[in-house]
Amino acid sequence: MTLLITGGASGIGAATARLAAARGHKVAINYRSREAQAKKVVADIVAGGGQAVALPGDVGHEADIEKLFEAAERALGPITHLVNSAGIDGGTMRADEFDEAVLARLFGVNVVGLMLCCRAATRRMSTRHGGKGGVIVNVSSMAGTIGGRPGKSAYAASKAAVDSFTMGFAKEVAMEGIRVISVRPGMTETEMTEQALADPANRAAVSATIAMGRVGRAPEIANAILFALSDEASFISGVTLDCSGGGFVFWNR
């Protein structure tokens, strides 16, 4: 089994890479700028007896995506599983502050790049194209269900697009041996959120909006992703799996 993880150098992607390797996957870890972190994850996997490679590429660029898939297959063999974990948050912007270039980059990575990765995977996995099937997990966000937190409506919109695409895409390839699932984390401790969660008051305020009263941890999301990738989920496709600590609440405790 060969798993390609976009954005696999840190956060949920890195936690998924480590867990997947422990469960027998060969893992291709894509990164854009975190080369040292990606190579550290690879080194840890190899030290534990697994197989892994670190591969550069910006999923916001179509040419990089094609090169990434080709490099992963050269290194580890046919790709059987894909986790689209690469994403950016686009900063904090009200609608009256939107910047066209920022929005284009946000949707270029979070939506268009993800869709093109799914295209590349389909061309390799689909029985229609001579493949043997496979599984794709798109990492979305609970933000897409509520419009995001203040100043994050654009990010939320990009993740809502991922969920909608996942449902439609899964129907297209269901008869071609491919399962597609969207995993929606709630607020989770990663490099993307560490600045927001560093302030104790802000962390407490965010935690109060989660039913379990705390933010998630990357390995918790990785466990859900690995379930979705596994044969235990063989009849699950075209759905969203919420990893949200019970969902949003809006009352004071």
Side-chain angles (χ1 to χ4, degrees):
M1 300 180 292
T2 297
L3 167 63
L4 170 59
I5 305 176
T6 68
S10 62
I12 292 168
T16 301
R18 295 177 190 278
L19 184 59
R23 296 187 182 180
H25 288 268
K26 295 179 288 184
V27 185
I29 298 167
N30 158 251
Y31 66 91
R32 181 178 64 86
S33 59
R34 294 187 169 103
E35 180 179 8
Q37 287 174 266
K39 290 184 175 179
K40 175 64 166 60
V41 176
V42 168
D44 290 346
I45 289 172
V46 172
Q51 289 181 262
V53 292
L55 300 173
D58 185 340
V59 299
H61 296 294
E62 182 176 10
D64 281 17
I65 291 171
E66 291 303 316
K67 291 176 182 176
L68 170 62
F69 275 77
E70 291 167 3
E73 290 191 315
R74 282 197 304 270
L76 299 175
I79 295 169
T80 58
H81 298 74
L82 168 66
V83 173
N84 283 308
S85 183
I88 57 177
D89 72 355
T92 300
M93 299 182 294
R94 284 170 42 97
D96 53 0
E97 299 169 340
F98 281 163
D99 179 279
E100 181 181 7
V102 174
L103 290 176
R105 176 64 177 167
L106 176 67
F107 280 81
V109 172
N110 291 6
V111 184
V112 178
L114 177 145
M115 293 170 75
L116 292 179
C117 285
C118 288
R119 180 186 72 180
T122 301
R123 290 174 175 176
R124 291 162 169 82
M125 296 177 181
S126 171
T127 55
R128 182 180 182 181
H129 294 282
K132 297 181 179 180
V135 188
I136 298 170
V137 172
N138 295 324
V139 179
S140 178
S141 171
M142 288 297 291
T145 69
I146 62 163
R149 297 180 188 276
K152 296 292 185 180
S153 61
Y155 173 78
S158 74
K159 293 301 185 178
V162 168
D163 291 339
S164 182
F165 164 70
T166 296
M167 289 185 284
F169 171 45
K171 292 177 176 67
E172 291 177 356
V173 297
M175 293 292 288
E176 300 169 20
I178 302 175
R179 293 191 299 107
V180 192
I181 297 170
S182 177
V183 171
R184 290 195 297 213
M187 180 64 83
T188 306
E189 291 178 310
T190 67
E191 277 89 341
M192 184 183 291
T193 63
E194 64 183 354
Q195 185 174 353
L197 295 175
D199 175 34
N202 191 52
R203 186 186 185 97
V206 170
S207 296
T209 67
I210 300 170
M212 286 187 181
R214 66 172 178 86
V215 300
R217 298 182 292 271
E220 293 178 307
I221 313 304
N223 274 312
I225 292 172
L226 264 293
F227 166 72
L229 292 174
S230 75
D231 289 341
E232 293 178 345
S234 59
F235 200 53
I236 301 174
S237 189
V239 298
T240 57
L241 173 59
D242 293 348
C243 305
S244 59
F248 291 103
V249 293
F250 297 99
W251 57 81
N252 291 323
R253 293 181 178 275

